[in-house]
Structures are given as structure tokens and as C-alpha cells.
Amino acid sequence: ATRATGNLTEADYDKLLPLLNNIVEKHKKIRWYFEMEGFEGWKPKAFWEDLKFDVQHANKFEKVAMVGDEKWEDWMTDLMKPFTSAEVKFFEIN
């Protein structure tokens, strides 16, 4: 599970990616809960790190729950779907 607020930075990915790589090594598949509250997006270098990981591990995701409160976050979820075999759904924070 990840809770993102503000902007995700390269330092955030320096912490997150080793954890995700360990999950892939141990369990082969990732089920990810990604909560966005007050989330503004990614710094450019962080976006690049995220994109590289997602492309490299596109078939390692089994389910992804994107949880947020902004319309653009829902759209972002829809944009992800063609690039992964995972079941990806958006849920609104209530």
C-alpha cells in the first residue's frame, strides 16, 4: 500500500522501488493499494522512475486500487489500463 500526498519525488522512489522489487521476487505478483489524498503528481525524475518500473513489470501487477478525490486521478487510472494485464479500478475517497 502507498499513500501519496503532495508530489512524489525521486527520493520517494528510492524507498518504494526496492520494496516493490522484493514483492515481485517473493510473490511474483503485486496487488497494490495506491491512495492519493492532496496528491499533486510527480516530479519529472520521479515520473520517469515510475514509468520505467511500470513498463518493466507491467505483467507483474495483478490488481491495482487507485483511491483518490480528484477527477484527473480517475482519468489517470483509465490511462493505465491498456498498459497492464492487471485489474485496475478507481475508488473515490469518501
Side-chain angles (χ1 to χ4, degrees):
T2 303
R3 184 167 187 255
T5 60
N7 285 296
L8 289 174
T9 66
E10 184 179 8
D12 295 323
Y13 278 88
D14 288 344
K15 294 175 189 173
L16 180 61
L17 294 182
L19 297 172
L20 291 175
N21 282 315
N22 283 338
I23 291 169
V24 169
E25 285 179 27
K26 289 180 183 176
H27 305 288
K28 306 298 182 217
K29 293 286 185 176
I30 298 172
R31 291 182 179 179
W32 197 359
Y33 175 91
F34 188 77
E35 184 176 304
M36 303 165 281
E37 188 170 1
F39 183 57
E40 297 170 9
W42 294 260
K43 295 290 184 181
K45 188 100 175 171
F47 181 77
W48 177 244
E49 293 301 317
D50 183 52
L51 185 61
K52 286 191 309 184
F53 182 86
D54 290 350
V55 168
Q56 193 174 35
H57 296 91
N59 293 321
K60 302 293 184 185
F61 289 90
E62 185 175 9
K63 292 183 177 188
V64 179
M66 305 288 285
V67 182
D69 56 4
E70 299 289 335
K71 190 65 180 166
W72 71 267
E73 295 164 344
D74 188 8
W75 296 335
M76 181 180 64
T77 302
D78 287 336
L79 289 174
M80 291 173 57
K81 291 178 182 180
F83 301 102
T84 181
S85 59
E87 180 183 348
V88 181
K89 290 185 179 180
F90 179 80
F91 301 91
E92 193 171 327
I93 293 175
N94 291 324

